[in-house]
Amino acid sequence: MEFLDLTIRELHNELVKKTVTPLDLVKEALLRAKADNNNAFEYIMEKEALDMASKLKEPEANNLFWGIPFVIKDNFSTKDVPTTASSNILKGYVPVFDATVVRKLLEAKAIPIAKATLDELAMGGSGTTGHLGTTFNPYDKLHEHLIGGSSCGSAVAVSSSIVPFALGSDTGDSVRKPASYAGLVGFKPTWGRISRLGLFPFATSLDHVGYFTRSVFDAAHLLNLLAGRDIEDATSSETPVEDYARLLTNDLKGVKIAVVKEIVDSIYDKSINAAFQKTLASLKVRGAKVEYVSIDRKLLEALFPTYVVISCAEATSNNANLDGIKFGPYHDGKTFDEVMSKARTKGFSELIKRRFVIGSFCLMKENQEALFLRAQKVRRMIVDRINEIFQDYDAIFLPASPTPAPTLGEASDRLSDEYLIADNHMVIGNFGGFPSITIPLGFKNNLPFGGNLTAKPFNEAKLLQIASVIEDITGFYNLSVRTAKL
Amino acid sequence: MKAINKEVLKDAAKRLLFDMSEDEYDTLLKEFEVVIKQMELIGQIEGVDDYEPMTFPFECTTSYLREDIPAKPLSKEEVLRNAKNKSAGQIKLPKVVG
């Protein structure tokens, strides 16, 4: 097995033993990144990465991230590195500061090797709407299947073993859904647990920093590094940082897991249902109590439209500063209105503009009651119900997606008439800021699919404990395209 | 609630400072039909209007205050670096007044 096929933990051990150097790793990662044909990258940081790697000589035995290459979703501000959010409105934009999470990783001597593609401005779930076109699923060499989004490029980078981890962002499942389609661990902690300074805001009440790894152990230790109050992000939590890896054991005695009946019933795929039920049975054998709970179907059917209204409204406001004047392509005009209009008309894709108009309409005074405020009320109804469930249960476990990765033909960027409970239930994790993780569960026709676990706010240690047991049950530790026995 | 037609959507886009093609306005009209229909059904959920709107995922306290410690600000060059239209050390725009 080559070094980049290892998880962070194993790679760290090799670096400490000096069987490999950061420079070796970075050179190999860059080779693999340049060879990628899934359209995963906006920008490859060749000079920067080689520079950083060549300066790292003495391994730090107590620093898991020393010399480890990684990839950054292109909606994180990266000093002196082009950052576009996969949108033409930010073409040529080079930030003058690092996002806090990037800074923390650089301070830990991890080495960023590339910026990854995303759905434009993170506002999508298919991996098809970035300005460089579709990002494909590396499990399908014919390029007929999606990898999902919006963190599409990051998911490719980790599932192709270009790097052992990649930063993403999750506003409506944008890490946890592609994790299912790419056979990865995709994690987002409690809202505010990780600073969002430097993460381009999409919908501030829903946005989370998240990431992809190939093991739950890696995800837990990455949280230890990234969690914490940031004075420059007032929404970041002052709750003390714990050791989130401390419960990674196999003992589930006393753990209670809830399964939402109506969501499971909305999933028809036999392979997914079989794998899910098998995992439930194994969880019981490991000592957990697993029980079905019920949520009013009307509330579940409300998830998607509530998400559309709230996220579009917040996005419209958050992207009002993109006007081509301080950054982005500039177009001359007779008035400043004209300058801004030209930049925004040319810079935003049609899909994004449609989303902004929906958002703006929902915020208009005469529409607020029926649209925006009502969506916010339903959000509270949903979150209240979930918190009720968490009074009696440690976590909710569900299939992460109703199918493995869809084909390109099945994806559409238009809002559909279906409620799509099965496709959108993970947005619950964003509505209530609940920590939530997707882990691989099985394969169908050589395409992976995952399960999703969600817990109470600030209960990441318990969530990661249960996830680590599921990983042990399935045996899908360090799953990648290169190592999957297909 | 305001009635939705192409004119209303064009006005909304204008206020957002961008324009779209005619085809996109047609697509958008269809999307609005979907959104409005689904929101009307949500309006029929029993007791929904008795709830307070939720703005953030949970209650939390925060502060914006910090110690007054001098720090190095961005240089003028850094601030202007990404602006494409500059003159005499400032960002250049068409005159707003006059």
Side-chain angles (χ1 to χ4, degrees), chain A residues 293-312:
Chain A
V293 297
S294 202
I295 298 181
D296 187 347
R297 257 198 87 87
K298 287 205 178 64
L299 274 187
L300 294 173
E301 286 167 357
L303 284 173
F304 186 56
T306 301
Y307 171 73
V308 169
V309 169
I310 293 177
S311 67
C312 288

Side-chain angles (χ1 to χ4, degrees), chain A residues 226-470:
Chain A
L226 297 180
R229 169 72 174 170
D230 179 2
I231 191 68
E232 292 187 274
D233 174 4
T235 69
S236 67
S237 177
E238 293 186 332
T239 305
V241 175
E242 308 161 23
D243 174 9
Y244 297 107
R246 72 182 188 279
L247 296 179
L248 295 179
T249 75
N250 284 357
D251 189 350
L252 291 187
K253 241 197 334 253
V255 170
K256 290 183 71 180
I257 297 171
V259 177
V260 181
K261 183 177 182 312
E262 289 79 5
I263 295 177
V264 171
D265 285 349
S266 71
I267 291 169
Y268 303 114
D269 188 291
K270 290 196 174 75
S271 305
I272 290 182
N273 281 329
F276 182 69
Q277 290 299 328
K278 191 160 171 242
T279 310
L280 292 185
S282 299
L283 281 166
K284 290 180 192 172
V285 166
R286 298 290 184 108
K289 210 166 183 176
V290 179
E291 288 172 359
Y292 281 88
V293 297
S294 202
I295 298 181
D296 187 347
R297 257 198 87 87
K298 287 205 178 64
L299 274 187
L300 294 173
E301 286 167 357
L303 284 173
F304 186 56
T306 301
Y307 171 73
V308 169
V309 169
I310 293 177
S311 67
C312 288
E314 293 190 14
T316 302
S317 171
N318 280 324
N319 288 289
N321 69 331
L322 299 180
D323 54 23
I325 295 173
K326 294 182 292 298
F327 41 74
Y330 177 88
H331 303 275
D332 221 346
K334 292 192 226 51
T335 62
F336 76 88
D337 260 20
E338 204 180 311
V339 164
M340 290 201 240
S341 280
K342 279 185 178 173
R344 290 163 71 82
T345 299
K346 289 187 177 28
F348 292 135
S349 68
E350 298 292 356
L351 164 68
I352 292 297
K353 288 180 206 168
R354 296 203 311 267
R355 293 285 176 273
F356 288 160
V357 174
I358 290 173
S360 173
F361 188 85
C362 292
L363 290 171
M364 286 178 191
K365 193 165 192 296
E366 54 269 74
N367 304 326
Q368 268 199 26
E369 200 60 56
L371 295 176
F372 186 64
L373 293 174
R374 183 158 290 148
Q376 290 190 315
K377 290 174 183 180
V378 173
R379 178 180 181 170
R380 190 181 291 282
M381 279 186 95
I382 292 165
V383 172
D384 278 0
R385 179 67 192 111
I386 301 296
N387 278 325
E388 261 172 21
I389 295 172
F390 282 142
Q391 274 168 17
D392 298 317
Y393 297 90
D394 296 294
I396 296 172
F397 185 46
L398 293 160
S401 54
T403 62
T407 59
L408 286 170
E410 288 167 319
S412 166
D413 65 12
R414 293 179 189 179
L415 294 182
S416 124
D417 208 0
E418 299 166 51
Y419 289 111
L420 306 168
I421 294 174
D423 225 354
N424 295 290
H425 68 85
M426 292 196 286
V427 80
I428 286 171
N430 304 89
F431 282 0
F434 305 113
S436 187
I437 189 168
T438 290
I439 50 252
L441 220 53
F443 277 85
K444 179 184 178 179
N445 299 333
N446 294 342
L447 290 170
F449 55 84
N452 179 254
L453 203 56
T454 301
K456 265 186 289 223
F458 302 106
N459 266 30
E460 284 87 351
K462 179 64 66 181
L463 179 82
L464 290 159
Q465 173 198 359
I466 303 170
S468 70
V469 174
I470 295 174

Side-chain angles (χ1 to χ4, degrees), chain A residues 80 92-94 96 190-191 205 229 231 234 238 298 302 305-306 308-309 316 325-328 330 333-337 339-341 344-345 348 350 353-358 360-361 364 366-367 370-371 373-381 383-384 413-419 431-433 457-458, chain B residues 1-4 8-9 11-21 24-25 27-28 30-32 34-66 74 78-85 91-96:
Chain A
D80 299 333
Y93 170 57
V94 181
V96 296
T190 307
W191 189 81
S205 77
R229 169 72 174 170
I231 191 68
E238 293 186 332
K298 287 205 178 64
T306 301
V308 169
V309 169
T316 302
I325 295 173
K326 294 182 292 298
F327 41 74
Y330 177 88
K334 292 192 226 51
T335 62
F336 76 88
D337 260 20
V339 164
M340 290 201 240
S341 280
R344 290 163 71 82
T345 299
F348 292 135
E350 298 292 356
K353 288 180 206 168
R354 296 203 311 267
R355 293 285 176 273
F356 288 160
V357 174
I358 290 173
S360 173
F361 188 85
M364 286 178 191
E366 54 269 74
N367 304 326
L371 295 176
L373 293 174
R374 183 158 290 148
Q376 290 190 315
K377 290 174 183 180
V378 173
R379 178 180 181 170
R380 190 181 291 282
M381 279 186 95
V383 172
D384 278 0
D413 65 12
R414 293 179 189 179
L415 294 182
S416 124
D417 208 0
E418 299 166 51
Y419 289 111
F431 282 0
F458 302 106
Chain B
M1 194 169 66
K2 206 179 193 129
I4 300 171
V8 165
L9 298 184
D11 179 62
K14 190 153 172 275
R15 287 195 263 162
L16 286 165
L17 295 182
F18 57 69
D19 199 6
M20 298 195 297
S21 68
E24 287 304 313
Y25 284 112
T27 304
L28 185 53
K30 291 200 189 76
E31 288 189 329
F32 260 104
V34 172
V35 174
I36 301 302
K37 186 171 94 175
Q38 290 179 350
M39 289 309 294
E40 274 167 7
L41 285 170
I42 285 172
Q44 290 164 23
I45 295 178
E46 205 178 315
V48 63
D49 284 326
D50 296 332
Y51 278 74
E52 279 298 302
M54 180 177 236
T55 316
F56 289 103
F58 43 74
E59 294 284 317
C60 53
T61 53
T62 188
S63 72
Y64 299 83
L65 300 177
R66 57 180 169 84
L74 290 177
E78 282 171 314
V79 170
L80 294 177
R81 195 184 291 168
N82 283 293
K84 304 295 183 302
N85 200 19
I91 296 177
K92 190 174 171 199
L93 270 189
K95 220 171 195 175
V96 176

Side-chain angles (χ1 to χ4, degrees), chain A residues 106-145:
Chain A
L106 292 175
E107 282 168 0
K109 317 254 185 16
I111 305 170
I113 64 132
K115 304 301 292 295
T117 55
L118 56 148
D119 279 304
E120 184 177 3
L121 296 169
M123 292 170 67
S126 60
T128 62
T129 68
H131 65 164
L132 297 183
T134 299
T135 296
F136 300 101
N137 191 322
Y139 276 96
D140 173 15
K141 292 190 177 12
L142 297 178
H143 284 181
E144 288 168 351
H145 288 86

